[in-house]
Amino acid sequence: MGLPNVQFVSPYKQRCSRQQLEMQNAEHLNDALGAIRVLGLEQIEGELKPHLNTVLTTIIQKNRGAPEQVVVSGILPILALSLRGRGSLTLLTAKLVAELAREPLVLKGFTDSGLVPALLSVLTSSDHELLLHATRAITRMSYDNRNLQDHLLRRGAVPRLVAILLRFPAKENLEEICLQALCNLSGMGVTEEAGIIWERGLSVRRGECVFRGVSPQTCGFFSSVTLVHVSQWAPGQYSVSIESIQRCSSSFWHIHRNQQATRWFPVLGWGSCYNAVKFSSKNVPRKSSLKSRVFHTLL
């Protein structure tokens, strides 16, 4: 019986191969960005698709230097035009923008490029998949980013998100991403990896929708509950309140109850945080201040 043929590849050759592959990917990305810049300005949709796919694949693979190339390429305004045009590439563009929204370097250009109002215009669509990607982009760009949170609020993101919740009550995945977007806009940073499980709660009052999100317990002791209330207080007028409460498990209290040196006084709503937004779904002024929206936080 012969020995297996095993080839040894030196670390130096492996490193050179990776560098060559990265250089090739950078060249392909640069060519695709250049083509998008030319074809997008001429509005030639038929030839844009493979180049958009190249950029999307590169960003998903997190190739080194890709976000920087996108920033300097100047394609963000073209992506905004594609979203506004509602053409055959709108869905692919929304997917790409949702992936770009993960990149802090690219996010800096979202405001100046017109991508924010373009994304918000997409939220009036009836296409479930398109809404999903556009809302995911808003969720990611508003996470822990006060400037974009303020910009989205001034542009009327909250009424559009609530309208989606009311229009598509049976679409659970769209409902979850909308609720996450509302939490991030209120300043309660919620990551997609948090694993929050959302469910509809019982409504006490007419015209009210209650959503309850429970996050997994940390180390078996702590968990958090997020409550989102959407209430109609006049025709076309809604208020949104978001409350996050940290909870301690019974095993945690049992452990510390037996420690004589420590006294624990459990109180309702440990670490609770409450945010509220009032808005009108009609005639929302684009340049109104945050104070006029009664946006406040109580600790």
Side-chain angles (χ1 to χ4, degrees):
M1 181 175 180
L3 295 175
N5 185 14
V6 178
Q7 294 183 348
F8 173 75
V9 180
S10 68
Y12 174 76
K13 287 186 177 181
Q14 289 179 339
R15 186 166 60 252
C16 290
S17 298
R18 285 197 300 269
Q19 290 175 349
Q20 290 175 354
L21 181 60
E22 288 176 358
M23 291 178 62
Q24 290 176 359
N25 290 336
E27 291 177 1
H28 292 324
L29 177 59
N30 190 54
D31 292 341
L33 293 171
I36 293 172
R37 189 168 56 248
V38 174
L39 297 173
L41 291 175
E42 297 178 2
Q43 298 182 356
I44 306 176
E45 284 197 350
E47 300 179 24
L48 269 175
K49 186 174 182 179
H51 303 297
L52 289 172
N53 276 321
T54 298
V55 179
L56 177 60
T57 301
T58 305
I59 295 298
I60 290 176
Q61 292 176 346
K62 298 187 179 300
N63 289 354
R64 187 168 58 180
E68 291 87 343
Q69 284 184 265
V70 171
V71 170
V72 301
S73 69
I75 70 162
L76 295 185
I78 295 173
L79 299 181
L81 287 174
S82 178
L83 289 175
R84 287 185 177 278
R86 302 289 183 91
S88 60
L89 297 179
T90 303
L91 178 59
L92 177 57
T93 303
K95 290 181 182 179
L96 175 55
V97 173
E99 291 301 322
L100 290 173
R102 296 179 185 269
E103 305 293 338
L105 283 174
V106 185
L107 279 179
K108 295 179 181 179
F110 270 43
T111 304
D112 297 334
S113 64
L115 269 174
V116 173
L119 278 171
L120 293 177
S121 70
V122 171
L123 296 186
T124 60
S125 171
S126 59
D127 187 320
H128 168 255
E129 189 175 2
L130 179 58
L131 289 173
L132 193 63
H133 291 296
T135 307
R136 184 172 286 116
I138 292 172
T139 300
R140 291 169 177 170
M141 64 195 291
S142 59
Y143 173 74
D144 199 25
N145 191 317
R146 179 59 62 85
N147 291 333
L148 282 172
Q149 288 170 9
D150 293 348
H151 193 63
L152 285 162
L153 286 169
R154 285 194 294 266
R155 289 281 182 171
V158 174
R160 289 173 173 85
L161 292 170
V162 171
I164 293 174
L165 286 175
L166 299 178
R167 284 163 56 202
F168 301 95
K171 302 292 185 180
E172 293 184 1
N173 54 349
L174 184 57
E175 182 176 276
E176 289 176 2
I177 201 69
C178 281
L179 291 169
Q180 186 178 336
L182 288 171
C183 290
N184 286 349
L185 285 171
S186 72
M188 295 180 181
V190 177
T191 63
E192 295 174 78
E193 295 77 19
I196 295 180
I197 301 174
W198 291 95
E199 60 182 14
R200 282 186 177 250
L202 295 177
S203 301
V204 179
R205 294 175 297 178
R206 184 179 180 183
E208 179 185 59
C209 295
V210 180
F211 305 90
R212 181 174 179 268
V214 180
S215 65
Q217 289 190 353
T218 303
C219 301
F221 290 133
F222 298 95
S223 65
S224 63
V225 178
T226 303
L227 298 177
V228 179
H229 294 260
V230 179
S231 304
Q232 183 176 9
W233 46 280
Q237 310 287 320
Y238 296 86
S239 65
V240 179
S241 64
I242 304 173
E243 184 178 7
S244 180
I245 302 174
Q246 299 295 323
R247 300 191 309 182
C248 300
S249 67
S250 57
S251 58
F252 175 84
W253 294 117
H254 178 74
I255 291 172
H256 290 282
R257 191 181 298 119
N258 295 329
Q259 295 181 2
Q260 297 180 357
T262 306
R263 296 182 63 188
W264 293 86
F265 300 94
V267 295
L268 182 64
W270 259 53
S272 64
C273 180
Y274 177 80
N275 288 347
V277 183
K278 277 191 177 182
F279 64 91
S280 168
S281 62
K282 298 179 181 178
N283 303 322
V284 179
R286 290 187 176 182
K287 296 184 179 180
S288 62
S289 67
L290 295 181
K291 291 182 179 179
S292 67
R293 293 180 183 275
V294 199
F295 185 87
H296 58 276
T297 304
L298 302 176
L299 297 180

